[in-house]
Amino acid sequence: MNKQAITIAGAGLAGSEAALQLANRGYSVTLYDMKPRTRSAAHHSNQFAEIVCSNSFGSQNSVDDAGNPSVTASGLLKEEMQALGCQLLAIAQSVSVPAGKALAVDREAFSQKVTDALLTHPLITLVPDPLTVIPSDGITLIATGPLTTPALAETISNHLGQDQLYFFDAASPIIATQSIDTNIAFKQDRYQLEKSPNKPTANTPESPESSEAADGHYINCPLDKDEYQQFYTRLQQAERAPLKAFEKESNPKTKTPYFESCLPVEVIASRGVDTLRFGPMKPVGLIDPKTGKRPYAVVQLRQDNAEGTLYNMVGFQTNLKWGEQKALIQSIPGLQHAEIVRYGVMHRNTYIDSPTVLLPTLQHKSTPTLFFAGQLTGTEGYTESIATGLLAAINIDNLIQERTLTVLPKTTMLGALLQYITRAEAANKNFQPINSNWGILKPLSADDTMLKTFRKNKKLRNQHYVERALTAIQAYC
């Protein structure tokens, strides 16, 4: 058994993955977390690896009935993680719930399984207190995520010699399924009926041929033009929760900007009357079986637990006051009597200036025994958080065993992600968090014979990227 002292701060997704990886390699790990003694304002349970959205792990790569591959950047990242032996991804797949091509999970079951794995592992010692001081000996991984305590944030800031950067994240409301009016709302996935030769018409809304609508994974609340205009006006006039002092600061290094891929619904609406209809309320690919037509706008809800008793409002992150949220939600057709199990919330998220202070190995540039992982590094997204915890553990093992630390190539999604957030050209600039996406991968070379074809066919290009990445991952393994 290896006696090297390893300290991990934070039993969220990244910290939990790293702890399990290292303990399974025979290392003794001391894992610090504020739970169960205390919780942040955004936490709702005492379990570790808590997530706030059922669809947190994004889409998965798949093959349709005709044998055509359907690939996404998030799907590629998950395939890489699986090849690297990711622990939390396996747990997520074991508690998945229906969500089309996405990997959605029963949130409570997922957190419980991770918590049980941590508590029962003989080489993991859990300390129910937040870490406040970086240990002077051994190896430390800080994975406290976007909800890092003020004390540790100050310690990190002092160690890095810089101010912390902040941004907002938000959670959508959750609705009790039985309170949704199914006489108005309908189950359907995007494009499900438009591709069907038996799509319903206004004259045959209840025809047997249209029964496939019941197989959809999403609940859709349709709005006509007048209903949408009334909803938009109400949203524009709704009162928001008061801003904290730090939100009002003018200094770009300390002001809290919004993360563009997780904007509050009211912020999206403030950018124009039709922005919601081209965003979270877009009706594209949906047909109301009662009219046989595409709605003017639609509110989608996604299954939130395995039993299907809870549904999450897709894209409805919000900072509205709770009373305003209730009035707004119950103005939506199909949600007139909605029972709101959890209101939308917003909270400050913290991340470091990774291009300035981190290596793509996730080590601090001047302290090789100090690692960072998770959203604290500026990798946005739950899947990305787990992936960074996985790679941090791999490199801690490499460091102890005096092996060369792993820097995955930019042809892999994880390698490209970590090299992007630590790229030299972004050092000491206004660094912003990022998800996995095709744009960060190493592009095809100019002399690639397939370059012209790939420019015209993005699906073919992305499939090539997947094959290239998995070849590189297998070579590493």
Side-chain angles (χ1 to χ4, degrees):
M1 184 181 300
N2 199 299
K3 299 298 183 181
Q4 173 72 49
I6 301 175
T7 301
I8 298 178
L13 296 173
S16 295
E17 176 68 28
L20 291 171
Q21 288 288 339
L22 290 165
N24 288 342
R25 285 168 165 79
Y27 298 106
S28 295
V29 176
T30 302
L31 179 59
Y32 287 79
D33 196 275
M34 65 173 67
K35 291 182 179 182
R37 290 185 181 174
T38 58
R39 299 202 305 247
S40 75
H43 287 137
H44 299 277
S45 80
N46 289 331
Q47 306 304 320
F48 301 121
E50 182 180 355
I51 56 178
V52 297
C53 176
S54 64
N55 196 34
S56 301
F57 299 104
S59 57
Q60 302 184 96
N61 291 345
S62 61
V63 178
D64 63 23
D65 294 338
N68 299 312
S70 175
V71 299
T72 64
S74 179
L76 171 56
L77 180 60
K78 279 189 277 295
E79 287 200 49
E80 295 175 1
M81 293 161 64
Q82 187 171 6
L84 293 170
C86 183
Q87 299 292 300
L88 266 61
L89 182 60
I91 293 175
Q93 291 168 337
S94 73
V95 294
S96 64
V97 298
K101 296 177 181 178
L103 175 56
V105 301
D106 182 318
R107 296 177 301 111
E108 292 184 5
F110 173 78
S111 295
Q112 186 63 60
K113 278 202 168 187
V114 176
T115 300
D116 291 344
L118 294 171
L119 291 174
T120 58
H121 203 295
L123 295 181
I124 297 176
T125 301
L126 275 155
V127 179
D129 285 305
L131 187 72
T132 57
V133 177
I134 299 173
S136 58
D137 60 338
I139 295 175
T140 301
L141 169 63
I142 299 179
T144 46
L147 303 177
T148 299
T149 62
L152 182 56
E154 183 177 0
T155 296
I156 294 171
S157 182
N158 291 336
H159 188 90
L160 302 181
Q162 62 167 1
D163 293 332
Q164 292 298 290
L165 306 177
Y166 304 100
F167 70 100
F168 267 126
D169 199 3
S172 299
I174 294 178
I175 309 298
T177 310
Q178 64 181 5
S179 68
I180 300 172
D181 188 348
T182 54
N183 291 318
I184 298 175
F186 58 93
K187 270 195 169 184
Q188 193 179 116
D189 296 340
R190 292 193 190 279
Y191 303 106
Q192 180 178 345
L193 296 187
E194 288 190 350
K195 293 180 179 179
S196 170
N198 299 315
K199 66 181 181 180
T201 66
N203 295 326
T204 59
E206 303 298 333
S207 63
E209 292 83 357
S210 67
S211 64
E212 66 176 279
D215 296 330
H217 296 135
Y218 291 82
I219 294 177
N220 304 276
C221 299
L223 293 85
D224 61 27
K225 186 173 182 179
D226 288 341
E227 290 166 337
Y228 176 79
Q229 291 287 350
Q230 293 171 13
F231 173 86
Y232 178 80
T233 299
R234 184 186 293 270
L235 177 59
Q236 287 287 81
Q237 295 173 349
E239 187 177 0
R240 306 182 190 185
L243 296 176
K244 306 296 183 183
F246 63 81
E247 300 172 55
K248 302 176 182 179
E249 296 177 6
S250 58
N251 185 342
K253 291 292 288 183
T254 55
K255 185 179 180 180
T256 307
Y258 294 110
F259 180 48
E260 284 294 320
S261 69
C262 195
L263 288 173
V265 64
E266 60 270 16
V267 173
I268 299 175
S270 70
R271 297 180 177 182
V273 67
D274 286 321
T275 52
L276 288 173
R277 291 203 312 117
F278 289 91
M281 295 180 69
K282 64 182 178 183
V284 176
L286 297 169
I287 298 174
D288 187 343
K290 298 174 181 62
T291 66
K293 299 178 180 179
R294 176 189 297 179
Y296 186 77
V298 68
V299 173
Q300 281 201 309
L301 297 99
R302 179 178 55 233
Q303 186 173 331
D304 195 74
N305 63 345
E307 295 77 14
T309 57
L310 301 176
Y311 269 72
N312 192 298
M313 297 183 69
V314 178
F316 266 67
Q317 305 82 222
T318 181
N319 190 40
L320 298 181
K321 288 189 172 182
W322 286 8
E324 298 279 13
Q325 288 188 45
K326 183 176 182 180
L328 183 72
I329 291 170
Q330 294 185 344
S331 73
I332 298 169
L335 300 182
Q336 302 95 320
H337 307 292
E339 179 186 343
I340 304 169
V341 176
R342 185 193 71 192
Y343 285 93
V345 295
M346 290 184 63
H347 48 270
R348 187 181 75 176
N349 283 357
T350 307
Y351 62 98
I352 63 176
D353 190 359
S354 291
T356 304
V357 301
L358 283 191
L359 297 170
T361 57
L362 294 173
Q363 287 172 294
H364 182 242
K365 288 183 177 179
S366 61
T367 313
T369 56
L370 176 62
F371 290 76
F372 289 86
Q375 292 188 51
L376 191 61
T377 66
T379 51
E380 179 61 32
Y382 287 148
T383 303
E384 288 83 349
S385 290
I386 296 172
T388 58
L390 170 59
L391 191 73
I394 290 171
N395 276 332
I396 289 173
D397 180 32
N398 287 335
L399 182 65
I400 295 172
Q401 299 300 327
E402 298 183 348
R403 296 189 294 257
T404 301
L405 271 64
T406 298
V407 177
L408 292 174
K410 291 181 67 176
T411 54
T412 66
M413 188 58 69
L414 181 52
L417 182 65
L418 297 185
Q419 292 192 54
Y420 182 89
I421 66 166
T422 57
R423 66 198 191 282
E425 61 269 26
N428 296 306
K429 295 182 180 178
N430 190 21
F431 172 59
Q432 293 291 309
I434 193 171
N435 300 88
S436 54
N437 64 86
W438 297 119
I440 62 176
L441 287 173
K442 181 180 179 180
L444 298 168
S445 60
D447 59 353
D448 194 306
T449 56
M450 294 294 290
L451 182 59
K452 185 177 294 186
T453 301
F454 290 152
R455 282 176 177 170
K456 296 179 180 180
N457 191 327
K458 291 183 178 179
K459 289 185 177 180
L460 188 61
R461 179 202 66 188
N462 293 345
Q463 179 59 31
H464 173 76
Y465 281 160
V466 169
E467 294 170 357
R468 185 180 66 171
L470 295 181
T471 297
I473 286 290
Q474 290 299 332
Y476 164 77
C477 291

